[in-house]
Amino acid sequence: MISKLKAFFEKELSLKSKNEPQEDINAKLQKACAILLLEISKADYQETKDEKDRIRKILQDKFTLSDAQLNELIALSEDEGNEVTSMYPLTSLINEHYSYEQKLGLLDLLWQVAYADGELSKYEDHVIRNVAELLYVAHSDFIKSKLSQQP
C-alpha cells in the first residue's frame, strides 16, 4: 500500500526535473486543483448535484477544457483522489507554481464548491482551512475569501 502511494505521488504529482515541459506541469496542476475541489464536495459525506455541477463549471472555465477533456480530468481526479491520504503533495505542487493571488483564487473556488449546496458544513470548512494553511494563505485572507463567496 505504501509503495503504491509513493509511486502515485512520484509519478503524478512530483516534478521529475526542472526541464519538465510546461504542458506536463499544467496537467498536474489541473489534476491537483480538481482533486482539491472534489475533496470539498466529499467532505460532508453528501456529494450533491449542485456541487458536482459547480466543479464541472469551475474546471471548464478555469482551464478552458472541452467536454471530453473535462470528463477525463474528473475521472482521473476521482480515481486518484480516492487514494490520496494527505493534501500536502497537492498543495506543495500548487505552492511551487502558483502566485499568492492564484492561491487566493483557488481558495475562492473551494468556497464556491462548499457553498454550492446552500449550506457550509463544519467538515467543508475544516478541509478548506487545512488547504489554506498548507498553501500558506494568511488567516485574514482565508476569512475574506470565505466571506466573499457566501451566497
Side-chain angles (χ1 to χ4, degrees):
M1 172 86 167
I2 292 175
S3 62
K4 185 178 179 183
L5 286 173
K6 184 178 175 185
F8 164 74
F9 289 126
E10 287 174 356
K11 178 182 173 214
E12 298 298 332
L13 297 177
S14 67
L15 295 177
K16 295 177 183 110
S17 74
K18 295 292 181 190
N19 297 328
E20 186 169 11
Q22 189 62 40
E23 290 175 1
D24 292 347
I25 295 169
N26 290 341
K28 289 178 184 180
L29 287 167
Q30 287 176 4
K31 197 181 306 177
C33 291
I35 291 171
L36 290 174
L37 292 167
L38 290 166
E39 285 301 310
I40 299 306
S41 73
K42 295 181 208 174
D44 62 357
Y45 304 103
Q46 298 177 22
E47 292 180 81
T48 66
K49 182 180 180 334
D50 291 333
E51 289 171 334
K52 288 180 180 182
D53 290 346
R54 187 70 194 137
I55 290 169
R56 290 183 68 79
K57 178 154 179 38
I58 287 169
L59 292 173
Q60 197 158 38
D61 291 350
K62 182 164 179 57
F63 301 120
T64 36
L65 302 171
S66 69
D67 287 338
Q69 291 170 321
L70 177 64
N71 291 335
E72 182 180 352
L73 175 61
I74 289 175
L76 285 171
S77 300
E78 285 176 340
D79 289 344
E80 293 176 17
N82 290 333
E83 297 179 19
V84 170
T85 58
S86 170
M87 298 292 171
Y88 181 77
L90 303 169
T91 56
S92 38
L93 179 67
I94 292 167
N95 279 329
E96 190 170 341
H97 295 283
Y98 274 23
S99 67
Y100 191 77
E101 290 74 27
Q102 289 172 308
K103 292 177 197 179
L104 291 177
L106 176 59
L107 199 60
D108 287 348
L109 298 176
L110 296 174
W111 286 118
Q112 288 177 26
V113 172
Y115 287 124
D117 61 0
E119 62 180 73
L120 175 67
S121 81
K122 63 184 179 182
Y123 304 110
E124 292 166 329
D125 184 84
H126 177 75
V127 172
I128 297 172
R129 183 178 306 268
N130 286 342
V131 169
E133 288 173 3
L134 289 168
L135 293 176
Y136 308 112
V137 170
H139 186 70
S140 59
D141 289 332
F142 165 82
I143 296 298
K144 287 176 192 172
S145 176
K146 180 179 181 178
L147 295 175
S148 74
Q149 299 305 314
Q150 282 182 332

